Amino acid sequence: MVSQNPIKIEDDRTGLEIQTLRRAILDNLFYIQGKFPEIATKNDFYLALAYTIRDRLLQRWLNTMQTEIKNDVKKVCYLSAEFLVGPHLENNLINLGIAEKVKQAVTESGLNIKELIEAEEEPGLGNGGLGRLAACYMDSLSSLEVPAIGYGIRYEFGIFDQEIKDGWQVEITDKWLQYGNPWEIARPEASVTVNFGGYTEPYTDGHNQFHVRWVPGYVVKGIPYDTPITGYKVNTVNTMRLWRSEACESFDFQRFNVGDYYGAVDDKVNSENITKVLYPNDEQIEGKELRLRQQYFFVSCSLQDMIRIHLLNNPNLDNFHEQWAVQLNDTHPAVAVAELMRLLVDIYEYEWGKAWNIVEKTFAYTNHTLLPEALEKWPIEIFGNLLPRVLEVIYEINRRFLDQVRIKFPNDDGKISTLSIIDESGERYVRMAHLACIGSHHINGVAELHSQLVKDTILHDFYLLWPQKFTNVTNGVTPRRWMVQSNPRLSKLITSKIGDGWIKNLQELKQLERYAEDQTFRQQWREAKQFVKQDLANYIQEKVGITVNPESLFDVQVKRIHEYKRQHLNVLHIITLYKQMKSNPNLDVPPRTFIFGGKAAPGYFMAKRIIKFITAVGDVVNNDGDIGDRLKVIFLPDYNVTFGQRVYPAADLSEQISTAGKEASGTGNMKFSMNGALTIGTLDGANVEIRQEVGEENFFLFGLTTPEVLTLKDQGYVPRRYYHSIPELKGVLDLIASGFFSHGDPELFRSIVDNLLYDDPYLLLADYKSYIECQEKVSQAYKDQENWSKMSILNVARMGKFSSDRSIQDYCNNIWNTQPVSIELKDYVQKEA
Ligand code: OX2
């Protein structure tokens, strides 16, 4: 099969002329979907268009893969249990620089590009910030031309779809794959197998060498599915490789033959369960064995894959760490440290010390939270039964590590027990963060404050041991998706003044500063904001049937529902305002629309109750004739990436109100600010750095600082004191407790009120007064639209630091030691046979 006809970058199939594009859409509809336009559904057209775009990035993708495999380049592997990439189509159009042409071709075909873009079901393969960060990083890695693979899990069911029924969250299974996924290509030829269960046994080889063999109870197959990750206007297209589990043999024929049909398919079902569903907990571990199986499964698949690729060009694994920089996105993939040791020692017969040297130089670990309920630990029993050989390897890593600890801290048993991988304070556990720290050359937090707290608190003893390992990389978000794609109006306005260099180098936004003084520009700025606000108002009308005033102040809090994020503090402010308006109908404050969005973990009682609390307060306020449109409270169901793209551009005020010291970084805070919202926030996570950058006069600060929080708790925090000493606060809590927002039922929100009065672990009552006063400043400031616009422009102008390009550059320089590689585009010519 030799053809002299090259596959060109642009040819009859992949050209960018309008006619070629139109023909390609029709071809794909016909040959892939098997449909004529007359009977095609919107999804059919979407798929036809998606395949058309995929064809136009395949040359770049294949060239990138080839260059990376052939050349001796160091590759970044981002190991993450979550990738919340969001819809691909429009993002790829922008990155490939073909959005205008494709729009024209689609329009001339009698189709609506906006509708087709909106037909895409987003892959919800993550819970929140951690998964979305991984996606922003993949975008930046490609845009900066850094060779990279994102390794993860291809969940059949991603994060649940949220519906609101009678004010409560209802979870619906996310069937994102049901109408097909045009962006992935299965690579069954690169499948690997993964062991589970069974036992280990020693043996001696022909050279009298001692080894251990793992005799598994069962073996599962991992099949990779590749998705292209385009970079912005570069040829690099990196790969996100997600693993799906499958049984090695579909049927156990022995059982089948004796008539046990159900028993025979058991194995198949069990194996396929591994990648069936994403655990919907954000920062709350669920100590289920299946979760550990997921983690080990994708980690083992990924490491075997790296080794396979490595051995294509290298005689052995001696230089593995020079070719691969593997980042552990939190502790979910931390078992990789032990698994790479196992592979090197058991399979490739490396001597322990030599293997450990490779391992230590390969991994780096990012910590994303200090919350104790999120720190992963596995009961020894579960771990040992599922992964007997891996546990032995962990014991040996620990034994050698503790010997080091004894040298550094002689006669200090305290240090042994705080540092050991095994927690022996009660039931015995494997502490995954300890394994990650010991096996990594760098450990980073995700914002300055957070990285400092990591050193001061949860990993303090590791910091004493290895101060040089610790560093910070402040999170960032991609301006391609979060500005260019989601806010085209504002982006065009910016570009009209300073050119489009900012899209690749966000620091160029600085040039906007001088336009803050330009009255005409401020007017245009407001018009851009007003346009998207109107758009969101229409969307709200359509989704929840509530009319909101598009001129009102859009006050937005969208993120996972969690007590530490304090959505209920926001509600306390709403009730305060409501009471003020009721008792003083002439109260001179700008009308506000409060917009909430976010999912609660299905098993998180308080979070679910907070959703009901928001909707219940909304029901009262929204239907109070005295209030009219001066106050509206909207809970928009099913917050996800797609909805985020709609809401960030429309916000006037960004609520970043977590208890100081609890939010590691936050990334929504950056997206709001980049789109011209002002922030009301505590000194927590990246808020601290955002405020530093935009200037304190352009940021609404309130609340206790982290040291003040600690001191208050140390002294014995008594929330009731605030209740008794702040009449306004007392009035609000009493109103809730009376059943005013629950049709007279005092029970419905008793758990919330009692929690605040008698425990209040997140110090809402301590921060209440400061928050309310700060909100009054916001209201005052909003009345001066000229000055508000000025502040808004300055916020955007000073957001350069928070591009994920900067974060990735930091990782490359300080942790990975990797270089960009530019990809040359070549026509593909088949070689003579
Ligand atoms: C989140 C953190 O809560 C958030 O502050 C941070 O911005 C994000 O990760 C990305 O770094 N699960 N989700 C997080 O941490 C964990 C664990």
Side-chain angles (χ1 to χ4, degrees):
M1 208 189 67
V2 174
S3 150
Q4 293 309 316
N5 215 353
I7 298 182
K8 293 205 183 130
I9 314 303
E10 287 182 33
D11 61 13
D12 295 352
R13 178 166 179 155
T14 58
L16 294 169
E17 305 77 34
I18 302 302
Q19 283 314 312
T20 317
L21 283 166
R22 288 189 58 180
R23 173 66 196 212
I25 296 169
L26 193 64
D27 268 1
N28 288 334
L29 189 67
F30 189 87
Y31 290 108
I32 300 183
Q33 292 308 103
K35 289 270 182 89
F36 295 119
E38 290 74 18
I39 55 164
T41 63
K42 197 173 290 167
N43 185 63
D44 289 326
F45 282 116
Y46 155 70
L47 288 172
L49 178 58
Y51 282 113
T52 303
I53 306 313
R54 194 180 90 177
D55 282 347
R56 278 153 187 78
L57 57 75
L58 263 168
Q59 276 286 4
R60 288 181 173 81
W61 194 12
L62 294 184
N63 277 308
T64 306
M65 284 193 204
Q66 246 187 354
T67 310
E68 292 175 3
I69 288 177
K70 271 201 197 138
N71 297 13
D72 245 9
V73 299
K74 191 168 183 182
K75 291 163 280 295
V76 173
C77 291
Y78 204 77
L79 281 190
S80 179
E82 304 186 10
F83 284 96
L84 201 44
V85 288
H88 295 284
L89 176 57
E90 191 178 16
N91 192 247
N92 283 333
L93 291 177
I94 290 169
N95 283 350
L96 295 170
I98 60 175
E100 285 310 313
K101 277 187 189 159
V102 169
K103 181 177 177 188
Q104 193 187 336
V106 168
T107 311
E108 287 182 18
S109 304
L111 299 165
N112 180 331
I113 184 82
K114 194 160 166 273
E115 274 181 25
L116 298 191
I117 285 170
E118 285 173 3
E120 179 172 358
E121 180 105 34
E122 75 169 74
L125 308 186
N127 274 287
L130 174 139
R132 181 55 230 177
L133 186 77
C136 283
Y137 283 179
M138 289 307 294
D139 177 284
S140 285
L141 282 162
S142 292
S143 295
L144 294 173
E145 304 180 289
V146 178
I149 305 175
Y151 280 111
I153 300 174
R154 182 180 177 277
Y155 301 104
E156 184 178 340
F157 305 116
I159 186 68
F160 61 86
D161 294 334
Q162 179 195 55
E163 287 182 5
I164 300 296
K165 295 226 165 98
D166 190 27
W168 295 94
Q169 165 175 298
V170 176
E171 300 94 20
I172 313 285
T173 312
D174 160 56
K175 302 195 183 113
W176 71 290
L177 289 166
Q178 71 180 329
Y179 297 115
N181 175 7
W183 301 105
E184 67 182 9
I185 297 182
R187 307 277 186 203
E189 72 281 8
S191 294
V192 295
T193 58
V194 179
N195 292 347
F196 290 101
Y199 56 93
T200 66
E201 61 187 18
Y203 71 97
T204 312
D205 68 14
H207 311 286
N208 237 357
Q209 292 290 316
F210 175 82
H211 297 281
V212 177
R213 167 190 305 135
W214 180 0
V215 183
Y218 57 105
V219 176
V220 176
K221 185 155 78 173
I223 302 161
Y225 285 70
D226 288 354
T227 301
I229 306 291
T230 52
Y232 180 70
K233 295 191 178 167
V234 291
N235 292 330
T236 303
V237 176
N238 282 319
T239 298
M240 177 173 71
R241 176 161 280 189
L242 305 182
W243 299 94
R244 182 173 75 82
S245 64
E246 205 178 84
C248 284
E249 297 294 337
S250 289
F251 285 95
D252 180 331
F253 280 99
Q254 232 164 15
R255 282 205 224 155
F256 189 51
N257 289 337
V258 296
D260 183 8
Y261 182 79
Y262 284 98
V265 289
D266 241 20
D267 183 33
K268 184 172 163 61
V269 170
N270 282 332
S271 300
E272 290 176 3
N273 269 346
I274 295 177
T275 56
K276 197 55 89 185
V277 56
L278 167 76
Y279 277 97
N281 307 316
D282 189 67
E283 305 193 61
Q284 169 90 38
I285 53 169
E286 179 146 339
K288 293 269 162 59
E289 194 216 33
L290 180 59
R291 169 78 174 176
L292 181 59
R293 280 206 276 161
Q294 291 184 334
Q295 295 183 350
Y296 180 68
F297 168 75
F298 98 89
V299 159
S300 180
C301 289
S302 306
L303 287 170
Q304 292 183 61
D305 197 52
M306 289 173 222
I307 289 173
R308 175 184 64 79
I309 297 171
H310 187 86
L311 293 177
L312 295 175
N313 291 310
N314 299 276
N316 55 47
L317 299 171
D318 292 5
N319 60 340
F320 186 82
H321 55 285
E322 291 164 12
Q323 295 282 304
W324 303 87
V326 182
Q327 192 67 26
L328 305 173
N329 196 25
D330 214 84
T331 55
H332 317 145
V335 69
V337 169
E339 175 64 358
L340 184 55
M341 275 310 278
R342 185 189 72 82
L343 290 165
L344 289 171
V345 171
D346 287 2
I347 311 295
Y348 295 93
E349 305 194 348
Y350 273 76
E351 178 269 320
W352 185 278
K354 197 169 170 189
W356 184 249
N357 181 50
I358 295 171
V359 166
E360 263 189 320
K361 290 180 172 154
T362 297
F363 293 106
Y365 157 55
T366 305
N367 173 284
H368 292 266
T369 188
L370 306 170
L371 297 190
E373 64 268 33
L375 297 181
E376 289 197 297
K377 48 182 197 168
W378 293 105
I380 293 278
E381 275 277 308
I382 292 185
F383 204 108
N385 286 334
L386 190 68
L387 308 169
R389 179 57 186 150
V390 183
L391 185 58
E392 287 174 3
V393 171
I394 289 176
Y395 282 145
E396 182 60 15
I397 293 172
N398 201 39
R399 190 183 68 75
R400 291 170 184 248
F401 164 67
L402 292 180
D403 281 346
Q404 274 187 349
V405 174
R406 279 185 197 96
I407 292 168
K408 173 95 186 186
F409 305 106
N411 302 317
D412 190 344
D413 282 350
K415 284 282 183 291
I416 297 289
S417 68
T418 56
L419 284 165
S420 171
I421 301 175
I422 311 300
D423 176 354
E424 314 207 45
S425 53
E427 193 195 343
R428 295 169 74 226
Y429 291 98
V430 183
R431 298 192 275 217
M432 301 311 276
H434 292 216
L435 181 60
C437 284
I438 295 164
S440 294
H441 54 87
H442 279 87
I443 299 160
N444 75 283
V446 290
E448 291 288 352
L449 171 66
H450 168 65
S451 293
Q452 189 58 46
L453 293 172
V454 165
K455 293 191 283 190
D456 293 348
T457 62
I458 49 167
L459 298 179
H460 183 64
D461 286 333
F462 284 101
Y463 175 63
L464 294 179
L465 197 58
W466 298 311
Q468 73 287 355
K469 278 196 187 186
F470 285 75
T471 185
N472 170 251
V473 181
T474 298
N475 283 169
V477 302
T478 169
R480 271 74 64 181
R481 184 176 293 270
W482 297 112
M483 295 181 76
V484 179
Q485 184 179 337
S486 62
N487 204 345
R489 283 198 169 241
L490 193 75
S491 300
K492 279 182 195 130
L493 177 58
I494 294 170
T495 296
S496 75
K497 293 294 178 196
I498 66 169
D500 66 0
W502 60 275
I503 300 171
K504 258 190 165 323
N505 176 10
L506 205 64
Q507 291 291 1
E508 289 189 17
L509 286 177
K510 268 258 140 44
Q511 299 166 47
L512 274 181
E513 278 194 21
R514 59 197 180 96
Y515 294 97
E517 299 303 326
D518 177 338
Q519 211 180 337
T520 324
F521 185 73
R522 289 201 300 261
Q523 182 60 32
Q524 293 170 323
W525 192 261
R526 279 193 294 276
E527 282 165 13
K529 177 66 77 181
Q530 203 46 51
F531 183 88
V532 279
K533 284 175 73 176
Q534 181 64 58
D535 209 43
L536 183 62
N538 299 342
Y539 180 82
I540 291 172
Q541 179 71 256
E542 182 192 319
K543 284 282 158 189
V544 295
I546 299 173
T547 311
V548 305
N549 173 4
E551 306 278 334
S552 63
L553 189 167
F554 279 17
D555 179 332
V556 186
Q557 188 171 21
V558 286
K559 49 182 81 232
R560 287 297 289 242
I561 311 294
H562 206 298
E563 288 165 279
Y564 85 79
K565 295 178 189 280
R566 303 200 292 192
Q567 281 91 354
H568 46 339
L569 178 59
N570 190 339
V571 181
L572 296 186
H573 169 238
I574 296 173
I575 299 173
T576 306
L577 252 185
Y578 174 70
K579 287 183 83 235
Q580 288 172 351
M581 285 183 180
K582 290 296 277 187
S583 59
N584 175 9
N586 299 319
L587 188 74
D588 182 24
V589 290
R592 279 209 208 201
T593 301
F594 292 88
I595 299 166
F596 292 86
K599 294 174 186 176
Y604 187 171
F605 173 88
M606 267 304 212
K608 290 187 129 175
R609 190 112 336 200
I610 288 171
I611 291 178
K612 176 66 179 173
F613 184 42
I614 296 167
T615 56
V617 170
D619 279 346
V620 171
V621 171
N622 298 344
N623 296 307
D624 187 327
D626 296 347
I627 299 296
D629 66 1
R630 299 172 67 203
L631 212 54
K632 290 283 179 222
V633 182
I634 310 294
F635 190 97
L636 276 164
D638 206 32
Y639 176 58
N640 58 13
V641 175
T642 309
F643 176 58
Q645 291 174 199
R646 228 180 235 287
V647 78
Y648 292 113
D652 293 306
L653 187 67
S654 156
E655 297 272 352
Q656 307 302 334
I657 60 177
S658 52
T659 318
K662 296 293 178 190
E663 188 71 270
S665 164
T667 43
N669 46 4
M670 302 166 187
K671 296 165 196 167
F672 277 112
S673 218
M674 276 182 191
N675 284 282
L678 304 187
T679 305
I680 181 164
T682 49
L683 281 180
D684 200 15
N687 296 354
V688 178
E689 289 157 79
I690 291 175
R691 178 164 171 270
Q692 243 161 40
E693 293 292 307
V694 305
E696 45 187 84
E697 67 286 6
N698 300 308
F699 187 105
F700 296 99
L701 178 70
F702 77 97
L704 298 171
T705 62
T706 304
E708 287 166 351
V709 165
L710 295 175
T711 312
L712 184 56
K713 288 213 163 185
D714 271 356
Q715 291 168 345
Y717 171 54
V718 185
R720 266 152 312 170
R721 285 200 192 131
Y722 296 84
Y723 169 82
H724 289 300
S725 64
I726 308 169
E728 225 173 10
L729 171 61
K730 179 169 188 302
V732 168
L733 289 173
D734 289 349
L735 193 63
I736 303 165
S738 75
F740 184 81
F741 298 105
S742 40
H743 305 284
D745 173 9
E747 290 309 310
L748 189 60
F749 301 124
R750 186 185 296 281
S751 48
I752 293 180
V753 175
D754 283 357
N755 180 276
L756 293 180
L757 284 177
Y758 300 105
D759 189 9
D760 193 16
Y762 300 102
L763 306 180
L764 279 77
L765 302 202
D767 272 346
Y768 171 82
K769 186 155 176 282
S770 164
Y771 182 54
I772 298 297
E773 285 168 3
C774 193
Q775 287 286 17
E776 280 163 9
K777 285 188 203 148
V778 170
S779 287
Q780 288 310 314
Y782 194 71
K783 285 187 198 161
D784 181 353
Q785 279 291 302
E786 288 299 337
N787 193 53
W788 185 278
S789 304
K790 217 180 278 182
M791 292 164 75
S792 167
I793 294 165
L794 290 177
N795 259 265
V796 176
R798 296 171 179 173
M799 285 303 288
K801 174 174 177 182
F802 303 99
S803 167
S804 45
D805 296 346
R806 190 271 312 145
S807 312
I808 288 298
Q809 201 60 62
D810 285 355
Y811 278 103
C812 288
N813 297 344
N814 306 333
I815 298 181
W816 299 331
N817 189 25
T818 45
Q819 307 296 326
V821 176
S822 59
I823 302 298
E824 240 181 89
L825 277 191
K826 302 183 286 279
D827 293 340
Y828 173 74
V829 187
Q830 204 168 35
K831 301 209 175 53
E832 294 288 344

